[in-house]
Amino acid sequence: MQRLVLSCCVVASLLAAREAAAACPVGVTWPAADWPEALASGPTVAAADEYLFTLTGRDEDREGIRTDGVVIVHRGRVIYERYARGYARHNRHLAWSVSKSFLNAMVGVGVGRGALTVDDSICDHYDADGELCDITVGDLLDWGSGLDWNEGYEDEPYYLSSVIAMLYGIGSGDMAAFVAAQGLAETPGTIYRYSSGDTVLLSAVLAGALGPGLADDYPWEFIFDPIGMKSAMFERDQVGTYVGSSYVYATPRDLARFGYLFLRDGCWDGQQIVPEGWVAASTQPNPSFQMGKSYEHFLRDGDAVPGRHWWLNLPIPELAHERRWPAAPPDTFAGLGHWGQTIFVVPSADLVLVRTADDRESGFDQNRYLELALTLAAEDSP
């Protein structure tokens, strides 16, 4: 089966722009120990406060928008920052599936160091055999492993959910082994199926490729320390595998550092942290998704287009996909997590947005949020 060739000229132009910007930028602001601030004021700030932080009734009634914290960075400076519901600047927050975007970056650094390639079989670095050896590192990055998996959450019976069994049940001791034991349902690389299991198995593959000298410390050596994420925590399962699907914790200001790393094409203060070209490759529609086959549970109307462990604002007419966030430019991409955790990156607006939240009920409008942030950026004088 041939992969779809995207006719949309937007994709080609975005990739060309990102590749042209591959060299580390100069003349931009970099945060040192903390972010410089240029806090905005005025009607747009009031509108953002009202939308993002106004509860309806008591907090325990679970009505209205349940934002815990927001940090907006424009041109390297914090222009908006608010906290609520017991959170403050120093509090770490669980990132949930935004953690997947962190693992993407860590795999990228491993690839840049020559420890593995996206074309490697997982069996080159992880003790699996048989049909699983047909799965590549790239397939896992694409959520295209073909492994039998049910990414069901609270809206489905818990006993049918593979991810709940992995995180909290019989698979929690050795999560990667649990994922591998599910077996193949499809040929690897031929179908898109969003899967926290793919990400956890990818974490174990990365650790195997790095070897014992780096397997314990690579999150800090590769990403957290170089960009100054002093608050970062990353949980492991009982055999030591980092739970790359779900369990990064950090303050919103430190989450913004990670978004800023990807805004700057993997560079940090003149140093290429994530290898050149990795951001561009990660923020185009992923190859398994472009095959045109997908499990319906994660291809609902309005879903964002998947990149490689990032989410995109690109239209794909061939797959009947419109832009997920029409208020934002098409080059916008995001790390998205359960219950409203988000890192949005808008390269054309030089903008990073972080929101932590408790969106267990529906109602939050990401498009409205982006619209407010983009207005704040436009009002931020150069």
Side-chain angles (χ1 to χ4, degrees), residues 294-346:
S294 177
Y295 282 82
E296 289 297 324
H297 184 77
F298 282 95
L299 244 187
R300 297 165 293 195
D301 288 343
D303 278 359
V305 168
R308 286 191 148 175
H309 278 50
W310 288 90
W311 300 93
L312 315 180
N313 197 32
L314 294 173
I316 303 185
E318 293 86 349
L319 298 180
H321 265 262
E322 303 296 330
R323 282 165 52 199
R324 171 65 180 84
W325 304 289
D331 66 345
T332 301
F333 60 94
L336 302 177
H338 203 42
W339 293 340
Q341 321 320 311
T342 56
I343 300 176
F344 281 99
V345 180
V346 189

Side-chain angles (χ1 to χ4, degrees), residues 1-4 6 142-146 185-194 286-300 306 316 318-321:
M1 183 185 297
Q2 292 184 340
R3 301 187 190 276
L4 289 175
L6 301 182
D142 294 342
W143 297 305
S145 69
E186 304 283 348
T187 301
T190 66
I191 191 166
Y192 163 75
R193 186 177 199 170
Y194 177 80
N286 83 44
S288 291
F289 179 77
Q290 292 180 64
M291 297 295 290
K293 293 173 60 182
S294 177
Y295 282 82
E296 289 297 324
H297 184 77
F298 282 95
L299 244 187
R300 297 165 293 195
I316 303 185
E318 293 86 349
L319 298 180
H321 265 262

Side-chain angles (χ1 to χ4, degrees), residues 173 207 215-216 236-242:
D216 288 339
R236 299 196 278 182
D237 68 10
Q238 294 177 33
V239 299
T241 300
Y242 285 102

Side-chain angles (χ1 to χ4, degrees), residues 15 31 50 154 188 208 256 278 344 350:
L15 290 176
E50 181 177 6
E154 298 88 352
W278 187 263
F344 281 99
D350 204 346

Side-chain angles (χ1 to χ4, degrees), residues 28-79:
V28 300
T29 299
W30 299 97
D34 208 347
W35 289 97
E37 296 180 5
L39 296 175
S41 61
T44 305
V45 170
D49 289 347
E50 181 177 6
Y51 180 66
L52 292 166
F53 290 100
T54 301
L55 288 171
T56 302
R58 302 174 302 168
D59 186 30
E60 55 266 32
D61 292 336
R62 307 195 60 80
E63 297 178 5
I65 303 302
R66 298 170 61 81
T67 302
D68 297 332
V70 171
V71 170
I72 298 176
V73 175
H74 182 229
R75 294 189 289 113
R77 304 159 306 138
V78 173
I79 63 169

Side-chain angles (χ1 to χ4, degrees), residues 217-238:
D217 300 326
Y218 71 83
W220 283 264
E221 178 165 335
F222 284 9
I223 299 295
F224 297 153
D225 287 347
I227 68 173
M229 286 189 64
K230 294 183 178 180
S231 71
M233 297 174 59
F234 201 171
E235 286 192 23
R236 299 196 278 182
D237 68 10
Q238 294 177 33

Side-chain angles (χ1 to χ4, degrees), residues 131-132 135 145-149 178-186:
E131 61 185 7
L132 267 63
I135 302 171
S145 69
L147 287 165
D148 192 7
W149 191 261
F178 174 78
V179 176
Q182 304 310 300
L184 289 183
E186 304 283 348

